[in-house]
Amino acid sequence: MTQRVYEKLIDEEGKRVDGREWNELRPIKIEVGVLNNADGSAYIEQGKNKILAAVYGPREAHPRHLTLPDRALLRCRYHMAPFSVEERKSPAPSRREIELSKVIREALEPAIFLEHYPRTAIDLFIEILQADGGTRCAGITVASLALADAGIPMRDLVVACAAGKVGDRIVLDLNDVEDKEGEADVPIAFMPNLNAVTLLQMDGTLTPEEFEQAVNLAIEGCRQIYKMQKDALKARYLAIKKEVEEQ
Amino acid sequence: MTTSVTVSRIRRRQIAQLIANGMRLDGRGLTEYREIKIERGLIERAEGSAKVSLGRTIVLVGVKVGVGEPYSDRPNEGVLTVNSELVPLASPEFEAGPPGEESIELARVVDRGIRESKSIALEELCIIPGKKVFIIFVDVYVLNHDGNLIDASAMAALAALLNTKIFNYEVEDGEVKIKPGFKPLPVKDYPIAVTLAEIDGKLVVDPWLDEEEVMNARITFAFDKEGRICAIQKGGSGFFTKEQVLEAMRIAREKAAELRKLVVEG
């Protein structure tokens, strides 16, 4: 893949570099239960993003001194494959990956009934196989499905989506070029049933009014993806049901 | 007052109950900062430095200026790097060793505010395009941790950048030669970070350590001098409602303008 240089991020007809409208998500494909060894797993494609998430646990925590007496320890590793980006990325965790692992963990923690599993660990691994902008959001969307697939009780699914400012417009779900060339990016993770924002970050610059628009748009995007999440989860359960009935 | 970061249930309830009534354990109002003191230029060896006390939180920032290679995708720009050290003398909870996620997050949030507001005119820091540029090392050194490290560090970083000087130079046969005299680092914007904690449904600014222990979540907004948002970071394992996010933004914007006066006009 070679990067094209775009003269304008929004053309005369208001279309974006990939032909989308300002409030349009990229095509999303989600599959739940894709890995055998993991207790729960899921896969998402969002634009050219290809991301796998796997959950192990609740299981015994190692090293044991990390265990918490009143709840489970959630550990999260967001990691990019060396071949996932234009220029090979060193497989060692970068400062960016360490920060994202932390904010993703804190985005998912409010959803999980961690207090049901004291002295255990829940390990969550997110592998970015191909990155196309918005990997932390797609990573959260797919990770909460992996948690659900592992049978871990949750208050709601966590769904994430970004909005941002590109070529003077507030747009939904920025791709790689828009993220890099645009003016601002606001990733948000959300639990729709609880009206709970569990991750919020921003880089770039926005006025307070633009920020409010971006938050509303990102939450609207979250609601759309939330439906796809639930459909993917249902498809998984129907497949299991069918398997059981055939036996 | 306690130095332990484990807060007893009684104290936890006391903090939450007071906040529910619009008061705080240390006597502040909900949107009131602790006393802020700023000392500038106290490290003579550093090209810029500042120490900020936010109540009993103390952060020292030193700025060193070096010469090095630019990033390949920005050949005509100087380089900014922000690093933070949570040294063990600052808190019983800090341990020596490679930077953990707390310290990396702190440095990256401070970095984001400076970078996204385009505070430093990096394009003026190019010496030989594609080969030699100034590198601005901002090192955040936490000396005493009593909560809200982000705001204290961001203020100290800005104050330090504002008194940073870069040496005069000339280029001879592709080599950089230092000449006597200095000029100030070109600082064009003054990003200020304001952090709020959510405790039992209420928002409070500038949480101190005990409040950080009790809070469900925190959120930081950085604003540039025009009052535009230039960085946001939510932290902690709780959440905010959308309405709380917008309310926090409005409070933070007001407080940022107040703090900026202190840091810039001193």
Side-chain angles (χ1 to χ4, degrees), chain A residues 163-207:
Chain A
K165 188 179 171 191
V166 171
D168 265 340
R169 290 285 299 270
I170 301 295
V171 301
L172 184 63
D173 188 22
L174 280 64
N175 64 26
D176 197 37
V177 183
E178 293 174 324
D179 185 14
K180 290 197 175 107
E181 311 285 324
E183 288 102 306
D185 177 31
V186 185
I188 287 185
F190 193 61
M191 290 193 280
N193 282 338
L194 297 160
N195 180 29
V197 176
T198 65
L199 172 139
L200 175 58
Q201 293 183 290
M202 192 195 91
D203 51 17
T205 49
L206 288 181
T207 65

mmCIF file of all heavy atoms in Angstrom, chain A residues 163-207:
data_model
loop_
_atom_site.group_PDB
_atom_site.id
_atom_site.type_symbol
_atom_site.label_atom_id
_atom_site.label_comp_id
_atom_site.label_asym_id
_atom_site.label_seq_id
_atom_site.Cartn_x
_atom_site.Cartn_y
_atom_site.Cartn_z
ATOM 1 N N ALA A 163 -15.136 10.856 16.261
ATOM 2 C CA ALA A 163 -15.548 11.904 15.335
ATOM 3 C C ALA A 163 -14.399 12.898 15.329
ATOM 4 O O ALA A 163 -13.533 12.861 16.194
ATOM 5 C CB ALA A 163 -16.840 12.570 15.800
ATOM 6 N N GLY A 164 -14.384 13.780 14.353
ATOM 7 C CA GLY A 164 -13.276 14.721 14.316
ATOM 8 C C GLY A 164 -13.549 15.831 13.340
ATOM 9 O O GLY A 164 -14.655 15.939 12.792
ATOM 10 N N LYS A 165 -12.537 16.653 13.148
ATOM 11 C CA LYS A 165 -12.693 17.781 12.236
ATOM 12 C C LYS A 165 -11.731 17.587 11.073
ATOM 13 O O LYS A 165 -10.520 17.436 11.264
ATOM 14 C CB LYS A 165 -12.389 19.082 12.979
ATOM 15 C CG LYS A 165 -12.710 20.319 12.165
ATOM 16 C CD LYS A 165 -12.401 21.572 12.989
ATOM 17 C CE LYS A 165 -12.489 22.822 12.152
ATOM 18 N NZ LYS A 165 -11.948 23.982 12.894
ATOM 19 N N VAL A 166 -12.313 17.551 9.881
ATOM 20 C CA VAL A 166 -11.533 17.304 8.676
ATOM 21 C C VAL A 166 -11.950 18.334 7.635
ATOM 22 O O VAL A 166 -13.139 18.433 7.320
ATOM 23 C CB VAL A 166 -11.792 15.872 8.145
ATOM 24 C CG1 VAL A 166 -11.158 15.678 6.788
ATOM 25 C CG2 VAL A 166 -11.275 14.837 9.127
ATOM 26 N N GLY A 167 -11.010 19.095 7.115
ATOM 27 C CA GLY A 167 -11.345 20.091 6.108
ATOM 28 C C GLY A 167 -12.498 20.975 6.549
ATOM 29 O O GLY A 167 -13.445 21.198 5.807
ATOM 30 N N ASP A 168 -12.424 21.424 7.810
ATOM 31 C CA ASP A 168 -13.427 22.352 8.357
ATOM 32 C C ASP A 168 -14.803 21.753 8.591
ATOM 33 O O ASP A 168 -15.755 22.480 8.871
ATOM 34 C CB ASP A 168 -13.580 23.598 7.461
ATOM 35 C CG ASP A 168 -12.712 24.735 7.974
ATOM 36 O OD1 ASP A 168 -12.334 24.668 9.169
ATOM 37 O OD2 ASP A 168 -12.412 25.655 7.201
ATOM 38 N N ARG A 169 -14.948 20.436 8.453
ATOM 39 C CA ARG A 169 -16.231 19.802 8.753
ATOM 40 C C ARG A 169 -16.063 18.843 9.924
ATOM 41 O O ARG A 169 -14.999 18.264 10.103
ATOM 42 C CB ARG A 169 -16.715 18.978 7.529
ATOM 43 C CG ARG A 169 -17.161 19.795 6.332
ATOM 44 C CD ARG A 169 -18.523 20.454 6.524
ATOM 45 N NE ARG A 169 -19.620 19.522 6.740
ATOM 46 C CZ ARG A 169 -20.365 19.008 5.751
ATOM 47 N NH1 ARG A 169 -20.111 19.294 4.492
ATOM 48 N NH2 ARG A 169 -21.362 18.204 6.026
ATOM 49 N N ILE A 170 -17.119 18.697 10.714
ATOM 50 C CA ILE A 170 -17.115 17.666 11.756
ATOM 51 C C ILE A 170 -17.583 16.373 11.090
ATOM 52 O O ILE A 170 -18.670 16.336 10.507
ATOM 53 C CB ILE A 170 -18.059 18.049 12.916
ATOM 54 C CG1 ILE A 170 -17.629 19.386 13.542
ATOM 55 C CG2 ILE A 170 -18.107 16.952 13.972
ATOM 56 C CD1 ILE A 170 -16.283 19.382 14.227
ATOM 57 N N VAL A 171 -16.750 15.349 11.107
ATOM 58 C CA VAL A 171 -17.078 14.100 10.414
ATOM 59 C C VAL A 171 -16.963 12.902 11.359
ATOM 60 O O VAL A 171 -16.308 12.967 12.396
ATOM 61 C CB VAL A 171 -16.170 13.876 9.185
ATOM 62 C CG1 VAL A 171 -16.308 15.021 8.200
ATOM 63 C CG2 VAL A 171 -14.720 13.694 9.603
ATOM 64 N N LEU A 172 -17.602 11.810 10.938
ATOM 65 C CA LEU A 172 -17.659 10.589 11.756
ATOM 66 C C LEU A 172 -16.607 9.581 11.295
ATOM 67 O O LEU A 172 -16.343 9.459 10.101
ATOM 68 C CB LEU A 172 -19.064 9.981 11.617
ATOM 69 C CG LEU A 172 -19.384 8.752 12.469
ATOM 70 C CD1 LEU A 172 -19.327 9.084 13.947
ATOM 71 C CD2 LEU A 172 -20.747 8.190 12.105
ATOM 72 N N ASP A 173 -16.013 8.861 12.271
ATOM 73 C CA ASP A 173 -15.193 7.687 11.987
ATOM 74 C C ASP A 173 -14.039 7.987 11.032
ATOM 75 O O ASP A 173 -14.034 7.540 9.878
ATOM 76 C CB ASP A 173 -16.098 6.571 11.416
ATOM 77 C CG ASP A 173 -15.361 5.254 11.269
ATOM 78 O OD1 ASP A 173 -14.340 5.061 11.944
ATOM 79 O OD2 ASP A 173 -15.833 4.417 10.461
ATOM 80 N N LEU A 174 -13.045 8.713 11.513
ATOM 81 C CA LEU A 174 -11.918 9.131 10.674
ATOM 82 C C LEU A 174 -11.067 7.949 10.220
ATOM 83 O O LEU A 174 -10.768 7.060 11.022
ATOM 84 C CB LEU A 174 -11.028 10.112 11.453
ATOM 85 C CG LEU A 174 -11.484 11.564 11.528
ATOM 86 C CD1 LEU A 174 -12.793 11.710 12.266
ATOM 87 C CD2 LEU A 174 -10.414 12.417 12.181
ATOM 88 N N ASN A 175 -10.685 7.950 8.954
ATOM 89 C CA ASN A 175 -9.735 6.938 8.492
ATOM 90 C C ASN A 175 -8.316 7.476 8.673
ATOM 91 O O ASN A 175 -8.102 8.577 9.170
ATOM 92 C CB ASN A 175 -10.037 6.528 7.050
ATOM 93 C CG ASN A 175 -9.846 7.679 6.065
ATOM 94 O OD1 ASN A 175 -9.081 8.602 6.311
ATOM 95 N ND2 ASN A 175 -10.558 7.617 4.954
ATOM 96 N N ASP A 176 -7.355 6.663 8.254
ATOM 97 C CA ASP A 176 -5.955 6.980 8.520
ATOM 98 C C ASP A 176 -5.552 8.360 7.993
ATOM 99 O O ASP A 176 -4.950 9.163 8.710
ATOM 100 C CB ASP A 176 -5.080 5.894 7.878
ATOM 101 C CG ASP A 176 -3.672 5.904 8.440
ATOM 102 O OD1 ASP A 176 -3.535 6.156 9.659
ATOM 103 O OD2 ASP A 176 -2.735 5.682 7.678
ATOM 104 N N VAL A 177 -5.909 8.646 6.731
ATOM 105 C CA VAL A 177 -5.517 9.924 6.127
ATOM 106 C C VAL A 177 -6.186 11.080 6.867
ATOM 107 O O VAL A 177 -5.546 12.091 7.182
ATOM 108 C CB VAL A 177 -5.946 9.963 4.641
ATOM 109 C CG1 VAL A 177 -5.471 11.262 4.001
ATOM 110 C CG2 VAL A 177 -5.395 8.765 3.905
ATOM 111 N N GLU A 178 -7.468 10.920 7.160
ATOM 112 C CA GLU A 178 -8.201 11.987 7.849
ATOM 113 C C GLU A 178 -7.645 12.218 9.247
ATOM 114 O O GLU A 178 -7.573 13.347 9.727
ATOM 115 C CB GLU A 178 -9.686 11.629 7.925
ATOM 116 C CG GLU A 178 -10.351 11.617 6.560
ATOM 117 C CD GLU A 178 -11.793 11.127 6.620
ATOM 118 O OE1 GLU A 178 -12.089 10.218 7.431
ATOM 119 O OE2 GLU A 178 -12.610 11.634 5.842
ATOM 120 N N ASP A 179 -7.245 11.127 9.891
ATOM 121 C CA ASP A 179 -6.674 11.218 11.229
ATOM 122 C C ASP A 179 -5.362 12.005 11.178
ATOM 123 O O ASP A 179 -5.112 12.884 11.995
ATOM 124 C CB ASP A 179 -6.464 9.793 11.754
ATOM 125 C CG ASP A 179 -5.987 9.781 13.193
ATOM 126 O OD1 ASP A 179 -6.067 10.832 13.853
ATOM 127 O OD2 ASP A 179 -5.528 8.720 13.646
ATOM 128 N N LYS A 180 -4.536 11.683 10.186
ATOM 129 C CA LYS A 180 -3.209 12.320 10.116
ATOM 130 C C LYS A 180 -3.282 13.742 9.585
ATOM 131 O O LYS A 180 -2.582 14.624 10.059
ATOM 132 C CB LYS A 180 -2.275 11.478 9.243
ATOM 133 C CG LYS A 180 -1.901 10.163 9.901
ATOM 134 C CD LYS A 180 -0.690 9.521 9.254
ATOM 135 C CE LYS A 180 -0.263 8.273 9.997
ATOM 136 N NZ LYS A 180 -0.598 7.044 9.256
ATOM 137 N N GLU A 181 -4.120 13.962 8.565
ATOM 138 C CA GLU A 181 -4.149 15.277 7.914
ATOM 139 C C GLU A 181 -5.222 16.195 8.501
ATOM 140 O O GLU A 181 -5.212 17.392 8.241
ATOM 141 C CB GLU A 181 -4.401 15.126 6.401
ATOM 142 C CG GLU A 181 -3.507 14.113 5.704
ATOM 143 C CD GLU A 181 -2.102 14.649 5.520
ATOM 144 O OE1 GLU A 181 -1.953 15.858 5.275
ATOM 145 O OE2 GLU A 181 -1.154 13.859 5.653
ATOM 146 N N GLY A 182 -6.172 15.628 9.214
ATOM 147 C CA GLY A 182 -7.298 16.418 9.705
ATOM 148 C C GLY A 182 -6.902 17.324 10.866
ATOM 149 O O GLY A 182 -5.785 17.280 11.362
ATOM 150 N N GLU A 183 -7.871 18.123 11.307
ATOM 151 C CA GLU A 183 -7.580 19.100 12.351
ATOM 152 C C GLU A 183 -7.758 18.552 13.764
ATOM 153 O O GLU A 183 -7.139 19.052 14.692
ATOM 154 C CB GLU A 183 -8.487 20.337 12.197
ATOM 155 C CG GLU A 183 -8.146 21.219 11.011
ATOM 156 C CD GLU A 183 -9.086 21.006 9.847
ATOM 157 O OE1 GLU A 183 -9.228 19.838 9.423
ATOM 158 O OE2 GLU A 183 -9.673 21.974 9.357
ATOM 159 N N ALA A 184 -8.639 17.570 13.930
ATOM 160 C CA ALA A 184 -8.851 17.044 15.278
ATOM 161 C C ALA A 184 -9.511 15.671 15.228
ATOM 162 O O ALA A 184 -10.201 15.338 14.265
ATOM 163 C CB ALA A 184 -9.727 17.992 16.098
ATOM 164 N N ASP A 185 -9.265 14.900 16.284
ATOM 165 C CA ASP A 185 -9.783 13.540 16.378
ATOM 166 C C ASP A 185 -10.266 13.331 17.809
ATOM 167 O O ASP A 185 -9.515 13.586 18.753
ATOM 168 C CB ASP A 185 -8.645 12.563 16.029
ATOM 169 C CG ASP A 185 -9.055 11.114 16.157
ATOM 170 O OD1 ASP A 185 -10.248 10.821 15.930
ATOM 171 O OD2 ASP A 185 -8.194 10.275 16.486
ATOM 172 N N VAL A 186 -11.528 12.944 17.965
ATOM 173 C CA VAL A 186 -12.108 12.736 19.298
ATOM 174 C C VAL A 186 -12.625 11.310 19.413
ATOM 175 O O VAL A 186 -13.757 11.031 19.027
ATOM 176 C CB VAL A 186 -13.282 13.710 19.567
ATOM 177 C CG1 VAL A 186 -13.796 13.569 20.992
ATOM 178 C CG2 VAL A 186 -12.891 15.150 19.290
ATOM 179 N N PRO A 187 -11.823 10.383 19.918
ATOM 180 C CA PRO A 187 -12.324 9.026 20.129
ATOM 181 C C PRO A 187 -13.154 8.947 21.413
ATOM 182 O O PRO A 187 -12.769 9.522 22.427
ATOM 183 C CB PRO A 187 -11.055 8.186 20.244
ATOM 184 C CG PRO A 187 -9.979 9.134 20.644
ATOM 185 C CD PRO A 187 -10.387 10.509 20.212
ATOM 186 N N ILE A 188 -14.279 8.247 21.325
ATOM 187 C CA ILE A 188 -15.176 8.106 22.472
ATOM 188 C C ILE A 188 -15.593 6.655 22.613
ATOM 189 O O ILE A 188 -15.915 6.005 21.626
ATOM 190 C CB ILE A 188 -16.427 8.985 22.284
ATOM 191 C CG1 ILE A 188 -16.066 10.457 22.479
ATOM 192 C CG2 ILE A 188 -17.551 8.586 23.249
ATOM 193 C CD1 ILE A 188 -17.244 11.392 22.425
ATOM 194 N N ALA A 189 -15.572 6.156 23.859
ATOM 195 C CA ALA A 189 -16.176 4.848 24.130
ATOM 196 C C ALA A 189 -17.415 5.095 24.978
ATOM 197 O O ALA A 189 -17.441 5.995 25.818
ATOM 198 C CB ALA A 189 -15.204 3.933 24.853
ATOM 199 N N PHE A 190 -18.438 4.272 24.761
ATOM 200 C CA PHE A 190 -19.761 4.600 25.286
ATOM 201 C C PHE A 190 -20.498 3.322 25.655
ATOM 202 O O PHE A 190 -20.358 2.301 24.985
ATOM 203 C CB PHE A 190 -20.513 5.358 24.183
ATOM 204 C CG PHE A 190 -21.781 6.046 24.626
ATOM 205 C CD1 PHE A 190 -21.756 7.031 25.592
ATOM 206 C CD2 PHE A 190 -22.993 5.726 24.030
ATOM 207 C CE1 PHE A 190 -22.920 7.687 25.975
ATOM 208 C CE2 PHE A 190 -24.162 6.372 24.407
ATOM 209 C CZ PHE A 190 -24.127 7.349 25.381
ATOM 210 N N MET A 191 -21.278 3.397 26.755
ATOM 211 C CA MET A 191 -22.211 2.314 27.068
ATOM 212 C C MET A 191 -23.604 2.883 26.854
ATOM 213 O O MET A 191 -24.107 3.645 27.690
ATOM 214 C CB MET A 191 -22.034 1.846 28.519
ATOM 215 C CG MET A 191 -20.735 1.107 28.756
ATOM 216 S SD MET A 191 -20.714 0.244 30.355
ATOM 217 C CE MET A 191 -20.336 1.584 31.463
ATOM 218 N N PRO A 192 -24.270 2.552 25.744
ATOM 219 C CA PRO A 192 -25.529 3.203 25.379
ATOM 220 C C PRO A 192 -26.618 3.085 26.437
ATOM 221 O O PRO A 192 -27.331 4.060 26.696
ATOM 222 C CB PRO A 192 -25.935 2.500 24.085
ATOM 223 C CG PRO A 192 -24.653 2.002 23.517
ATOM 224 C CD PRO A 192 -23.804 1.631 24.694
ATOM 225 N N ASN A 193 -26.728 1.929 27.085
ATOM 226 C CA ASN A 193 -27.822 1.770 28.051
ATOM 227 C C ASN A 193 -27.624 2.584 29.321
ATOM 228 O O ASN A 193 -28.559 2.808 30.075
ATOM 229 C CB ASN A 193 -27.996 0.298 28.413
ATOM 230 C CG ASN A 193 -28.727 -0.434 27.315
ATOM 231 O OD1 ASN A 193 -29.441 0.176 26.518
ATOM 232 N ND2 ASN A 193 -28.522 -1.740 27.237
ATOM 233 N N LEU A 194 -26.387 3.008 29.590
ATOM 234 C CA LEU A 194 -26.107 3.735 30.821
ATOM 235 C C LEU A 194 -25.754 5.195 30.559
ATOM 236 O O LEU A 194 -25.424 5.922 31.488
ATOM 237 C CB LEU A 194 -24.952 3.058 31.564
ATOM 238 C CG LEU A 194 -25.233 1.625 32.015
ATOM 239 C CD1 LEU A 194 -23.943 0.882 32.289
ATOM 240 C CD2 LEU A 194 -26.108 1.622 33.244
ATOM 241 N N ASN A 195 -25.786 5.621 29.301
ATOM 242 C CA ASN A 195 -25.348 6.978 28.943
ATOM 243 C C ASN A 195 -23.980 7.276 29.557
ATOM 244 O O ASN A 195 -23.754 8.316 30.144
ATOM 245 C CB ASN A 195 -26.390 8.018 29.403
ATOM 246 C CG ASN A 195 -25.976 9.444 29.046
ATOM 247 O OD1 ASN A 195 -25.266 9.660 28.060
ATOM 248 N ND2 ASN A 195 -26.392 10.415 29.848
ATOM 249 N N ALA A 196 -23.072 6.304 29.447
ATOM 250 C CA ALA A 196 -21.783 6.426 30.118
ATOM 251 C C ALA A 196 -20.650 6.543 29.107
ATOM 252 O O ALA A 196 -20.449 5.653 28.288
ATOM 253 C CB ALA A 196 -21.546 5.213 31.017
ATOM 254 N N VAL A 197 -19.925 7.643 29.193
ATOM 255 C CA VAL A 197 -18.723 7.826 28.381
ATOM 256 C C VAL A 197 -17.558 7.223 29.145
ATOM 257 O O VAL A 197 -17.213 7.693 30.227
ATOM 258 C CB VAL A 197 -18.469 9.323 28.111
ATOM 259 C CG1 VAL A 197 -17.164 9.527 27.358
ATOM 260 C CG2 VAL A 197 -19.635 9.940 27.365
ATOM 261 N N THR A 198 -16.959 6.169 28.629
ATOM 262 C CA THR A 198 -15.909 5.479 29.385
ATOM 263 C C THR A 198 -14.517 5.749 28.832
ATOM 264 O O THR A 198 -13.526 5.424 29.473
ATOM 265 C CB THR A 198 -16.151 3.955 29.435
ATOM 266 O OG1 THR A 198 -16.034 3.437 28.111
ATOM 267 C CG2 THR A 198 -17.528 3.630 29.987
ATOM 268 N N LEU A 199 -14.437 6.281 27.630
ATOM 269 C CA LEU A 199 -13.150 6.755 27.120
ATOM 270 C C LEU A 199 -13.422 8.040 26.374
ATOM 271 O O LEU A 199 -14.418 8.159 25.661
ATOM 272 C CB LEU A 199 -12.492 5.737 26.179
ATOM 273 C CG LEU A 199 -11.223 6.211 25.443
ATOM 274 C CD1 LEU A 199 -10.161 5.131 25.389
ATOM 275 C CD2 LEU A 199 -11.511 6.695 24.027
ATOM 276 N N LEU A 200 -12.547 9.017 26.614
ATOM 277 C CA LEU A 200 -12.655 10.264 25.861
ATOM 278 C C LEU A 200 -11.267 10.840 25.758
ATOM 279 O O LEU A 200 -10.587 11.052 26.753
ATOM 280 C CB LEU A 200 -13.592 11.246 26.578
ATOM 281 C CG LEU A 200 -13.721 12.642 25.977
ATOM 282 C CD1 LEU A 200 -14.196 12.587 24.543
ATOM 283 C CD2 LEU A 200 -14.670 13.484 26.794
ATOM 284 N N GLN A 201 -10.818 11.036 24.539
ATOM 285 C CA GLN A 201 -9.526 11.648 24.319
ATOM 286 C C GLN A 201 -9.676 12.644 23.183
ATOM 287 O O GLN A 201 -10.679 12.641 22.465
ATOM 288 C CB GLN A 201 -8.481 10.600 23.924
ATOM 289 C CG GLN A 201 -8.156 9.622 25.027
ATOM 290 C CD GLN A 201 -7.079 8.654 24.603
ATOM 291 O OE1 GLN A 201 -7.305 7.798 23.759
ATOM 292 N NE2 GLN A 201 -5.895 8.791 25.169
ATOM 293 N N MET A 202 -8.706 13.484 23.009
ATOM 294 C CA MET A 202 -8.730 14.340 21.833
ATOM 295 C C MET A 202 -7.331 14.810 21.513
ATOM 296 O O MET A 202 -6.563 15.108 22.413
ATOM 297 C CB MET A 202 -9.609 15.570 22.064
ATOM 298 C CG MET A 202 -9.879 16.316 20.781
ATOM 299 S SD MET A 202 -10.534 17.961 21.057
ATOM 300 C CE MET A 202 -9.040 18.896 21.101
ATOM 301 N N ASP A 203 -6.995 14.841 20.225
ATOM 302 C CA ASP A 203 -5.874 15.675 19.826
ATOM 303 C C ASP A 203 -6.315 16.555 18.665
ATOM 304 O O ASP A 203 -7.359 16.329 18.070
ATOM 305 C CB ASP A 203 -4.593 14.873 19.552
ATOM 306 C CG ASP A 203 -4.821 13.725 18.620
ATOM 307 O OD1 ASP A 203 -5.850 13.717 17.943
ATOM 308 O OD2 ASP A 203 -3.956 12.847 18.560
ATOM 309 N N GLY A 204 -5.519 17.575 18.393
ATOM 310 C CA GLY A 204 -5.958 18.605 17.461
ATOM 311 C C GLY A 204 -6.584 19.734 18.227
ATOM 312 O O GLY A 204 -6.489 19.781 19.452
ATOM 313 N N THR A 205 -7.226 20.675 17.531
ATOM 314 C CA THR A 205 -7.896 21.764 18.246
ATOM 315 C C THR A 205 -9.335 21.905 17.772
ATOM 316 O O THR A 205 -9.635 21.768 16.587
ATOM 317 C CB THR A 205 -7.192 23.125 18.024
ATOM 318 O OG1 THR A 205 -6.977 23.299 16.625
ATOM 319 C CG2 THR A 205 -5.882 23.204 18.755
ATOM 320 N N LEU A 206 -10.218 22.157 18.726
ATOM 321 C CA LEU A 206 -11.644 22.337 18.464
ATOM 322 C C LEU A 206 -12.165 23.450 19.360
ATOM 323 O O LEU A 206 -11.723 23.583 20.501
ATOM 324 C CB LEU A 206 -12.425 21.059 18.802
ATOM 325 C CG LEU A 206 -12.308 19.836 17.907
ATOM 326 C CD1 LEU A 206 -13.196 18.731 18.462
ATOM 327 C CD2 LEU A 206 -12.695 20.147 16.474
ATOM 328 N N THR A 207 -13.130 24.221 18.861
ATOM 329 C CA THR A 207 -13.822 25.149 19.739
ATOM 330 C C THR A 207 -14.800 24.339 20.588
ATOM 331 O O THR A 207 -15.140 23.205 20.230
ATOM 332 C CB THR A 207 -14.626 26.181 18.932
ATOM 333 O OG1 THR A 207 -15.660 25.480 18.237
ATOM 334 C CG2 THR A 207 -13.754 26.922 17.926
#
